[in-house]
Amino acid sequence: MITRRQSLMMAGAGLVAGCATMPPRPEGPSLNALAARSGRRFGSAVGAGRPGTLTASFDNRAYRRLLEWECGVLVHENELKWYALRPDASTFTYEPADRIASFAAERGMGLRGHTLIWHHPQWFPAWTSSHDYGARPAAEVERLVVEHIDAIVDRYGMIDSWDVINEAVDADTGELRVTPFSERMGGPEAVMDLAFRRTRERAPMAQLVYNDYMSWEAGHEAHQNGVLRLLEGFRARGVPVDALGVQSHIGSGNSDNSVGFDTARETNWRRFLDEVVGMGYDLVITEFDVHDKNLPADFAQRDAAVAELGRRYLDLMLSYPQMGDILCWGLSDSHTWLQGRWYREDGLPKRPTPYDAQYRAKPLRQAIADALIAAPPRRSA
Ligand code: 9MR
């Protein structure tokens, strides 16, 4: 449900059907062309949600133009999640996901897969709790997971990089989350190992990713440690995981009580990344945006601070040769998920993406371009 406050925010952000006319394309190469110079791709999430909402960027012609200009790879924002694809145990709702996949295929773009299992109880559809798992619940979970992976991976055979598991580590404690599946299968590891192994069988050429939102801000240490333990476990058990998806929602910190803008702890973050690549994992930036909740109202000041932090972050990430593709979680302020929660004190719309709500390039777009131009070549782990 969209609240009155959200609808006002959306109007403020320019998310009103038909109000967008397309400003000229930025001069010079696209972000994807710049990424290609060092062997990477640039891309974005796009959503085919209910028309007129923040999740419906694909509905917007101007937004689709931005994708065509800038991207070499797309990812569904929500359409492959269980709650979107599977209203009940036997129905699959493919149409919104198909539209995005066709758009990418027709333009020769790549596609990432988000996500085969969002390992977080909040995002499991309600029916997974009330489902009749029968006398052998573990076997029934296994059947559901295998059926899901086979159906989705086969249907979207063009997907070359899968977020097989998303957000399994509790950010506060570092422990693995318990889900309706894990509690019936004898633990989270059993579900995750099965998912990775099955995906490898069905998509042997695809990059298999564990994706999470541990970040470089202060307060993320428990989350980072939990992710390291999980990645060590995968290696110890011989589970086929190729890369860590670093979501990269940086900036103000995503919570109601966020106070600062930049609390980056670079030395600690490098130590974390060193351990990850030391275990032989590649890195992917899967959901980049720069939250500006606590920055001043003034657009120029805000945009400059967002661009400066974004550049510093991307430079650090791109200093790792194992760092691969870079995807933003939305290209325009008209449709970012951050407009829908953790509102600014001044009530103004946020500016966390490379293009403003009128589809004009902002300093963050230039910062991404500059970071890509300066990037050393990619070398896979
Ligand atoms: O941007 C997504 C938003 O539209 C959805 O309402 C929300 C819940 O499904 O998920 C958002 O995307 C999340 C992504 O799937 C996983 N990492 C965090 C993203 C932002 O919450």
Side-chain angles (χ1 to χ4, degrees):
M1 217 214 14
I2 309 237
T3 61
R4 187 178 137 69
R5 181 159 197 194
Q6 280 170 320
S7 65
L8 288 173
M9 294 294 300
M10 282 155 50
L15 180 57
V16 181
C19 81
T21 49
M22 201 65 193
R25 179 179 183 151
E27 288 190 5
S30 70
L31 292 176
N32 187 56
L34 295 176
R37 291 182 187 176
S38 61
R40 303 178 164 92
R41 299 182 297 187
F42 174 84
S44 174
V46 56
R50 204 152 47 79
T53 68
L54 289 174
T55 61
S57 47
F58 189 68
D59 248 25
N60 186 299
R61 197 170 55 86
Y63 197 100
R64 290 199 303 274
R65 290 287 301 283
L66 281 190
L67 299 175
E68 289 174 333
W69 286 355
E70 298 284 32
C71 296
V73 54
L74 301 183
V75 61
H76 298 89
E77 186 170 358
N78 294 307
E79 292 65 27
L80 292 185
K81 295 171 181 174
W82 279 66
Y83 74 74
L85 263 180
R86 303 192 68 170
D88 56 53
S90 50
T91 313
F92 286 79
T93 312
Y94 289 121
E95 190 274 336
D98 284 358
R99 275 191 281 142
I100 291 175
S102 306
F103 178 88
E106 284 158 14
R107 284 155 187 80
M109 296 173 177
L111 196 60
R112 296 201 69 250
H114 178 79
T115 168
L116 289 170
I117 298 184
W118 191 344
H119 203 281
H120 189 315
Q122 186 183 354
W123 302 109
F124 271 69
W127 66 260
T128 55
S129 296
S130 53
H131 182 69
D132 177 8
Y133 287 86
R136 295 174 56 230
E140 176 60 2
V141 171
E142 183 163 345
R143 189 194 67 75
L144 283 168
V145 168
V146 166
E147 170 192 61
H148 187 82
I149 290 173
D150 290 2
I152 313 306
V153 170
D154 289 359
R155 185 177 187 91
Y156 302 105
M158 66 180 289
I159 289 180
D160 51 33
S161 175
W162 273 105
D163 292 339
V164 178
I165 300 288
N166 188 48
E167 297 175 15
V169 176
D170 184 302
D172 297 323
T173 64
E175 300 299 320
L176 294 177
R177 297 186 209 269
V178 174
T179 74
F181 286 174
S182 74
E183 61 192 0
R184 291 174 173 89
M185 233 192 131
E189 289 91 346
V191 179
M192 291 190 267
D193 294 4
L194 167 68
F196 277 107
R197 293 197 166 112
R198 189 71 187 185
T199 309
R200 178 64 97 217
E201 276 175 40
R202 302 303 277 208
M205 305 306 286
Q207 177 190 52
L208 306 191
V209 176
Y210 171 73
N211 191 48
D212 211 330
Y213 59 91
M214 69 285 127
S215 188
W216 71 350
E217 284 87 14
H220 280 248
E221 294 77 11
H223 199 178
Q224 291 170 15
N225 290 336
V227 169
L228 289 178
R229 283 197 300 273
L230 177 65
L231 295 179
E232 279 162 15
F234 287 143
R235 285 291 182 255
R237 300 191 297 278
V239 182
V241 184
D242 302 314
L244 174 65
V246 184
Q247 293 187 6
S248 308
H249 297 291
I250 64 167
S252 298
N254 295 329
S255 69
D256 279 325
N257 57 3
S258 65
V259 284
F261 171 67
D262 170 15
T263 63
R265 298 209 164 152
E266 273 146 287
T267 309
N268 164 284
W269 183 239
R270 277 191 186 279
R271 219 177 291 134
F272 168 75
L273 295 174
D274 289 346
E275 290 209 38
V276 174
V277 299
M279 287 186 256
Y281 291 102
D282 283 325
L283 303 169
V284 189
I285 292 183
T286 51
E287 308 184 10
F288 178 63
D289 50 29
V290 187
H291 195 177
D292 56 332
K293 175 171 157 63
N294 301 304
L295 290 179
D298 179 73
F299 283 4
Q301 264 180 285
R302 243 205 273 177
D303 291 353
V306 162
E308 203 258 338
L309 189 68
R311 174 75 200 266
R312 230 171 77 211
Y313 181 77
L314 293 176
D315 281 349
L316 188 159
M317 295 301 288
L318 285 162
S319 72
Y320 286 84
Q322 298 89 344
M323 173 65 227
D325 296 337
I326 298 179
L327 287 89
C328 290
W329 206 240
L331 281 190
S332 157
D333 296 338
S334 64
H335 286 83
T336 159
W337 67 294
L338 288 168
Q339 304 293 10
R341 64 190 86 179
W342 306 310
Y343 302 102
R344 288 173 55 89
E345 298 281 305
D346 56 19
L348 290 172
K350 295 178 187 166
R351 301 175 65 82
T353 76
Y355 282 83
D356 72 10
Q358 285 71 43
Y359 304 92
R360 292 174 301 218
K362 294 190 307 182
L364 182 59
R365 196 261 173 204
Q366 191 60 47
I368 298 171
D370 292 343
L372 291 171
I373 290 167
R378 173 184 185 181
R379 188 168 25 81
S380 188

